[in-house]
Amino acid sequence: MNVITIENMHKIYHENSTEEFEVLKNINLVVKKNEMVIVSGVSGSGKSTLLSLVAALEKPSSGKIIVLEELVSKLPDIHASKYRAKHIGIIFQNFNLLESLSVETNVMAPLIHSGLTFSQIEEKVQYSMKLASIEHKATQEIRLLSGGEKQRCAIARALVHNPELILCDEPTANLDKENTLKFISLLETLQELGKTIVIATHDPLFDTLTCVSRVIKMENGRIL
Amino acid sequence: MLNNAFLHFLTRMLYHQKNKHIGAILISILVIFLLSAVLFLSTSLQTRVQKTLKGQSDFTISRIQAGNSISIPYHWVDKVGALNGIESVVPRVHGRYFFTPKGKSFLIVGVDFFDEQNNKLLKSIVGTLDLKVFLKQDSMLVGSGVSTFLKQHYFKNTFTFKTPNGTFKEVHIAKVLSSKSNLFTNDMIVMPMHLAQEIFGMMENEITDITFNVPNDAEWDTVIEKIYLMFYDVRVVDKREIQKAYESLYNYKGGLFLVLFLVVIFTFILILYQRYSMVYSTERKEIGILRAIGWSINDILKLKFYENIMIVFVSFFWGVVLAYGYVFFLDAPFLSSIFLGEANLKNHVHFLPVIPFGLLGSIFLFYAVPFLAAVLIPAWKIAVTPPKEAML
């Protein structure tokens, strides 16, 4: 089963202006269920943009993006939010956590409008924090955490609503080697749980991992 | 409908970001406090005027010649009383007595203590009065401003008036008028009419004005016409005019403040709008993050609405409570002197607690709607931008 299907997709910034810039050119890509795909390339090659388009954080200029049989390239805003809330877990390079809130509240955030009861939400939050090994810092404010702990909190938040697809944007860029290895081991666990994972990184360590299904190289907005 | 998870998230947000909101809350409390204090003051004064005038006679006749008040012959009382539809015709002697060494003056009102109307009025401002004891010697009732002033100048039980023909009249201070009526009676002295006549050097058959009631409201204008036809040099004042004069005075002062404070609210809202729309980048980032993890634009607006409506309620509640305490418990220092003006004798007015719910509701709307708009419009603008852009 295809989790992601991208056909002839282009992304142009500042379209129809003098600053027009084509960041992704004719992208075609298929990612199957339970695959762990690495999108590698230097900074500015278009990896992060590709992930944001799959997450429907922005829209492509042309082409199709189909995720879990849903045409996300044309999703209106309200549906895009629902789509992210249901299917997508995102781990950002700089974690993008709500700094003034606690780990627990951050992890809880994606479930606030899920319709679940408070006790069901709390149960999921506990499970997710345990999976990401951050439950001991549950009440700690984000701004007081180390880089590795923030990373684990971001992972717990990305997993809390049990998404099928996990997108990681330069997940190890702010981590030391020890935390990077811990993260990789967590990715392996997630894959065992049947998740599909796409990781945009320029860290060569990922290219050699046995759990990685494929490595896609990108350069100047094209898949090589 | 708010679920528990949303409430939990909302309270966590408010608690952890309290430093972010504290400035807005404090300024809001201050503005609401000032606005409410002015409203409480002007409404309380107007209510006091209404209550006091309720017990007063409907009409007062005074005599004017060449722009000056002159005395009225006593027999006019019977002439006025003979008119149809008129009740409780009461003669009065009043005038200002100047205490020249200190440049102050007292308002002396000479009344007939046996008159039913006067008795009712006196009861309301002085309580029970033993007339036998009171009239046994030359006695008077003094307003609390007069009482304080006389005590300061060593007149504890009596005060000696100097009459126009150079003689002195010692009058015993029998009682102090209730401070509740200070708005009107602070510099007032009430005494038997013959005593007032003596102090002002008037003849026994002379008075300064005549008061009367007309029970049928529809007859008011006709009665005034009849009196003008009967006496060519009189001025008839009805209590509606007095009430209107006071109301417009307090409305004018209150209105001036309201305009001033509305300008302050407007400026504050503008600053708030700018803060949320331009400067506050963490706000942008937060909205972007929430959008990225699956919150819709409506969810964001709902969060911002409840977050700020709580701020609005807290500020409004404390602003109003503080204003209530300031006006009705502390008697509005500073602000009361602006409203009451420079007093002849130091006046300490105790304000009657009145809550103008309608006006408070208007203030709430004037404050809450622009406040929420100043926060929600920029929040909406950020929420509709692509989350990736907002998170930058």
Side-chain angles (χ1 to χ4, degrees):
Chain A
M1 183 202 169
N2 291 347
V3 173
I4 303 172
T5 309
I6 301 176
E7 291 172 10
N8 308 320
M9 195 262 287
H10 293 257
K11 176 65 184 173
I12 304 165
Y13 284 130
H14 307 295
E15 235 172 328
N16 304 322
S17 82
T18 49
E19 292 166 21
E20 190 175 286
F21 173 65
E22 192 171 10
V23 67
L24 290 175
K25 297 161 191 166
N26 197 30
I27 302 290
N28 289 284
L29 176 71
V30 171
V31 177
K32 295 199 180 294
K33 190 171 167 57
N34 206 20
E35 270 193 321
M36 186 190 292
V37 176
I38 306 295
V39 182
S40 79
V42 293
S43 294
S45 57
K47 336 182 271 293
S48 296
T49 307
L50 179 65
L51 255 60
S52 342
L53 288 162
V54 173
L57 291 174
E58 51 188 327
K59 287 186 171 54
S61 305
S62 63
K64 274 185 191 173
I65 304 172
I66 301 162
V67 179
L68 297 159
E69 296 171 345
E70 197 160 3
L71 184 62
V72 300
S73 48
K74 299 276 182 209
L75 275 183
D77 199 82
I78 179 109
H79 294 293
S81 305
K82 280 185 186 164
Y83 154 76
R84 281 193 295 271
K86 197 175 170 191
H87 301 297
I88 309 290
I90 314 172
I91 300 163
F92 298 96
Q93 178 180 352
N94 49 4
F95 316 125
N96 280 337
L97 295 163
L98 303 166
E99 293 283 325
S100 59
L101 299 183
S102 66
V103 170
E104 199 175 27
T105 315
N106 264 278
V107 177
M108 186 182 283
L111 295 178
I112 299 296
H113 301 283
S114 61
L116 296 172
T117 64
F118 191 53
S119 56
Q120 285 172 320
I121 290 175
E122 272 192 319
E123 204 176 299
K124 281 178 181 283
V125 169
Q126 290 305 324
Y127 173 75
S128 190
M129 285 195 300
K130 204 170 179 184
L131 199 66
S133 307
I134 194 70
E135 76 275 23
H136 60 291
K137 296 275 180 180
T139 54
Q140 192 89 276
E141 275 181 42
I142 298 297
R143 60 191 174 86
L144 304 172
L145 299 181
S146 68
E149 287 166 337
K150 283 183 184 178
Q151 167 78 291
R152 275 181 272 149
C153 177
I155 294 165
R157 186 182 65 183
L159 299 178
V160 74
H161 53 300
N162 194 23
E164 289 100 320
L165 177 59
I166 295 165
L167 304 171
C168 312
D169 186 9
E170 301 282 7
T172 55
N174 293 316
L175 299 183
D176 55 24
K177 193 160 184 194
E178 191 193 338
N179 279 310
T180 302
L181 292 173
K182 277 184 187 169
F183 176 70
I184 288 167
S185 120
L186 184 65
L187 284 180
E188 285 169 348
T189 314
L190 293 178
Q191 200 184 22
E192 280 165 23
L193 290 170
K195 307 289 176 199
T196 307
I197 305 165
V198 180
I199 304 164
T201 182
H202 60 261
D203 189 342
L205 188 70
F206 283 91
D207 299 353
T208 57
L209 295 177
T210 49
C211 58
V212 169
S213 321
R214 274 186 297 153
V215 176
I216 296 163
K217 296 265 181 205
M218 283 192 78
E219 200 179 288
N220 293 327
R222 288 182 196 278
I223 291 178
L224 297 178
Chain B
M1 188 66 184
L2 300 180
N3 60 40
N4 285 343
F6 181 77
L7 282 175
H8 174 85
F9 191 78
L10 178 67
T11 48
R12 295 285 92 192
M13 280 284 261
L14 280 169
Y15 176 74
H16 286 288
Q17 299 179 348
K18 55 186 178 294
N19 292 338
K20 190 178 94 179
H21 302 302
I22 203 83
I25 290 176
L26 288 178
I27 298 172
S28 300
I29 288 177
L30 182 71
V31 175
I32 298 295
F33 162 75
L34 290 170
L35 264 171
S36 312
V38 168
L39 271 182
F40 283 148
L41 247 162
S42 71
T43 317
S44 171
L45 286 171
Q46 285 180 25
T47 314
R48 176 70 79 196
V49 169
Q50 277 171 7
K51 281 200 165 185
T52 312
L53 289 178
K54 220 174 190 178
Q56 300 271 6
S57 304
D58 296 339
F59 292 92
T60 307
I61 301 175
S62 50
R63 199 173 173 202
I64 310 279
Q65 269 183 11
N68 295 317
S69 287
I70 57 161
S71 58
I72 297 173
Y74 196 93
H75 66 89
W76 281 22
V77 175
D78 299 328
K79 276 191 169 179
V80 173
L83 288 171
N84 285 335
I86 286 181
E87 265 184 12
S88 314
V89 185
V90 177
R92 252 182 12 178
V93 172
H94 85 271
R96 288 228 154 250
Y97 179 86
F98 288 90
F99 186 76
T100 26
K102 289 285 165 190
K104 303 287 178 190
S105 68
F106 314 130
L107 175 70
I108 293 180
V109 181
V111 293
D112 178 0
F113 277 77
F114 292 107
D115 176 76
E116 198 185 330
Q117 171 101 0
N118 285 335
N119 242 319
K120 252 193 219 168
L121 202 65
L122 281 171
K123 229 177 202 175
S124 69
I125 54 173
V126 84
T128 48
L129 182 68
D130 188 347
L131 277 181
K132 260 188 189 170
V133 179
F134 183 76
L135 298 172
K136 211 173 185 180
Q137 55 179 323
D138 291 334
S139 306
M140 62 183 177
L141 307 168
V142 297
S144 54
V146 179
S147 167
T148 314
F149 178 80
L150 293 182
K151 274 180 193 159
Q152 278 168 356
H153 295 86
Y154 308 106
F155 296 102
K156 284 189 179 162
N157 299 317
T158 57
F159 179 70
T160 310
F161 292 92
K162 194 178 173 187
T163 64
N165 48 25
T167 56
F168 292 95
K169 184 78 191 169
E170 192 181 48
V171 184
H172 172 246
I173 301 166
K175 230 171 175 181
V176 179
L177 300 171
S178 163
S179 61
K180 281 183 184 171
S181 60
N182 264 8
L183 189 59
F184 292 99
T185 62
N186 188 52
D187 63 350
M188 190 185 276
I189 294 176
V190 185
M191 57 173 63
M193 206 158 62
H194 68 89
L195 212 54
Q197 283 167 326
E198 199 179 334
I199 288 165
F200 289 128
M202 292 168 76
M203 307 293 283
E204 264 182 40
N205 60 350
E206 284 180 333
I207 50 173
T208 56
D209 48 35
I210 301 168
T211 62
F212 62 90
N213 289 338
V214 178
N216 183 1
D217 291 7
E219 286 292 321
W220 281 30
D221 293 335
T222 322
V223 167
I224 292 172
E225 251 175 60
K226 280 182 185 170
I227 287 170
Y228 278 126
L229 284 172
M230 199 188 293
F231 311 110
Y232 65 96
D233 54 358
V234 294
R235 186 167 171 254
V236 184
V237 178
D238 76 66
K239 70 176 174 190
R240 292 174 302 187
E241 284 177 48
I242 303 169
Q243 189 173 337
K244 267 183 202 161
Y246 273 107
E247 276 178 1
S248 55
L249 175 71
Y250 298 138
N251 275 340
Y252 155 74
K253 286 185 176 176
L256 230 114
F257 275 101
L258 278 183
V259 170
L260 211 75
F261 292 143
L262 285 178
V263 171
V264 173
I265 285 188
F266 183 70
T267 316
F268 171 54
I269 298 295
L270 263 183
I271 294 168
L272 207 71
Y273 183 86
Q274 280 197 322
R275 185 184 114 169
Y276 273 88
S277 56
M278 290 153 74
V279 194
Y280 229 51
S281 60
T282 46
E283 190 80 20
R284 279 181 72 85
K285 195 173 179 183
E286 265 179 26
I287 293 173
I289 292 169
L290 290 173
R291 292 278 290 118
I293 60 171
W295 285 43
S296 68
I297 295 166
N298 278 348
D299 297 334
I300 300 282
L301 291 181
K302 188 175 153 189
L303 176 76
K304 290 288 149 199
F305 175 79
Y306 282 107
E307 195 179 285
N308 288 287
I309 200 90
M310 281 175 97
I311 292 172
V312 164
F313 273 120
V314 166
S315 316
F316 191 78
F317 173 79
W318 282 111
V320 170
V321 165
L322 288 175
Y324 189 92
Y326 169 74
V327 174
F328 300 125
F329 292 119
L330 302 176
D331 293 332
F334 308 116
L335 208 56
S336 66
S337 50
I338 296 172
F339 263 80
L340 299 170
E342 192 62 39
N344 166 44
L345 297 178
K346 200 172 180 196
N347 195 355
H348 183 83
V349 174
H350 179 70
F351 297 99
L352 188 75
V354 182
I355 303 176
F357 286 106
L359 284 171
L360 281 180
S362 310
I363 290 189
F364 181 77
L365 288 180
F366 265 116
Y367 158 67
V369 173
F371 187 102
L372 289 175
V375 177
L376 291 181
I377 294 171
W380 171 78
K381 275 185 180 173
I382 300 166
V384 294
T385 55
K388 195 184 167 188
E389 216 174 283
M391 280 190 292
L392 286 176

